[in-house]
Amino acid sequence: MFSYNLGDGAELRPLEERYADELFALTDRNRDHLRQWLGWVDIKPNPAATSGFLRGAMLQWAENNGFQAGIWFNGSIAGVVGHNRIDWGNRATELGYWLGAEFQGHGLMTRACHAMIDYAFAVQQLQRVVIHCAVDNARSRAIPERLGFTQEGVLRQAEWLHDHFVDLAVYSMLREEWGRPETEDRTETQRRRDRVTR
Ligand SMILES: CC(C)(COP(=O)(O)OP(=O)(O)OC[C@H]1O[C@@H](n2cnc3c(N)ncnc32)[C@H](O)[C@@H]1OP(=O)(O)O)[C@@H](O)C(=O)NCCC(=O)NCCS
């Protein structure tokens, strides 16, 4: 089994169909938590839909269009991070992510995104990684901000969520910015602040 160690009991594994039961159970008990920010939670909420998502993820990888990774924490599946697709012509990608409510607050998604971004620049040789967050989704916005992304602007009414549109903040990281001292400093400064305030 391939896995990437994120430290402190956390790991990333490429998602495969054999994880369907675990992933469905996580999604199913978190529907209320996820509904506020994710539009897909009520579309076919059944195990077959989770299997379909996982088959799609394997196809995405086979077509060289990025991948979906599961985040495991102390042996339990905690959430998902993945590429929406890869724009090879412009060497760019966008990351999407979610965690079960009970797995928030451990830095799992920040660490998972850090690993995905390392991979994007070092292995996939991409130029640009983008994260879109609804402007009122403070926990989601904190992730690119913690990682030193630059906010480029706001796309007005860019995402339909169940019964209303939301504005999306656009964050980007460029290849030459990643790992620069000022980016690392911002991450470390935030970590120090997190330690002091906890
Ligand atoms: C968005 C989402 C993934 C953020 O989860 P999160 O737990 O806040 O993010 P992380 O896993 O990176 O954890 C950060 C938290 O852990 C703390 N933390 C602990 N150790 C840490 C570490 N090593 N590094 C960074 N943060 C750490 C941080 O202080 C922060 O806690 P705080 O919010 O109390 O300050 C989650 O809220 C979610 O899935 N929401 C619903 C779906 C969603 O909105 N998806 C995004 C759509 S754009």
Side-chain angles (χ1 to χ4, degrees):
M1 174 209 308
F2 295 101
S3 81
Y4 181 94
N5 188 350
L6 296 172
D8 294 331
E11 60 180 317
L12 276 182
R13 295 183 203 162
L15 281 176
E16 300 170 30
E17 201 173 349
R18 65 196 168 101
Y19 298 125
D21 290 347
E22 278 180 273
L23 185 60
F24 176 74
L26 175 72
T27 313
D28 207 37
R29 67 175 185 269
N30 276 286
R31 262 179 230 289
D32 289 343
H33 156 64
L34 298 174
R35 185 172 293 112
Q36 186 180 5
W37 301 118
L38 299 173
W40 50 260
V41 288
D42 296 322
I43 304 171
K44 298 189 193 158
N46 55 46
T50 303
S51 295
F53 163 71
L54 293 172
R55 278 195 301 278
M58 292 163 77
L59 192 62
Q60 178 185 13
W61 173 244
E63 289 176 342
N64 193 27
N65 203 12
F67 59 88
Q68 305 295 317
I71 301 166
W72 269 259
F73 186 51
N74 295 333
S76 300
I77 191 163
V80 175
V81 59
H83 305 104
N84 283 2
R85 59 183 282 268
I86 296 189
D87 175 356
W88 286 111
N90 295 305
R91 305 205 78 84
T93 195
E94 181 187 340
L95 296 179
Y97 46 71
W98 61 270
L99 282 176
E102 66 270 41
F103 296 102
Q104 296 178 116
H106 300 282
L108 290 177
M109 196 52 79
T110 302
R111 282 183 276 153
C113 286
H114 195 288
M116 295 291 283
I117 298 159
D118 275 347
Y119 189 81
F121 294 134
V123 179
Q124 294 170 308
Q125 297 288 308
L126 299 182
Q127 180 60 23
R128 175 180 157 86
V129 176
V130 173
I131 296 178
H132 286 149
C133 308
V135 292
D136 292 330
N137 191 347
R139 272 186 173 274
S140 184
R141 293 183 70 163
I143 291 169
E145 289 173 5
R146 217 177 267 125
L147 291 169
F149 278 54
T150 296
Q151 187 182 329
E152 296 183 335
V154 171
L155 301 175
R156 296 181 305 152
Q157 299 193 0
E159 185 176 4
W160 176 253
L161 280 179
H162 316 294
D163 56 3
H164 65 290
F165 285 104
V166 292
D167 295 349
L168 296 180
V170 183
Y171 292 92
S172 67
M173 175 61 69
L174 303 182
R175 180 186 180 74
E176 54 267 33
E177 294 169 344
W178 187 240
R180 261 195 341 209
E182 52 269 41
T183 305
E184 288 300 310
D185 282 348
R186 284 161 72 184
T187 309
E188 187 47 41
T189 303
Q190 181 65 46
R191 275 202 205 104
R192 253 183 270 123
R193 201 177 303 140
D194 289 346
R195 278 199 290 271
V196 170
T197 54
R198 231 169 305 126

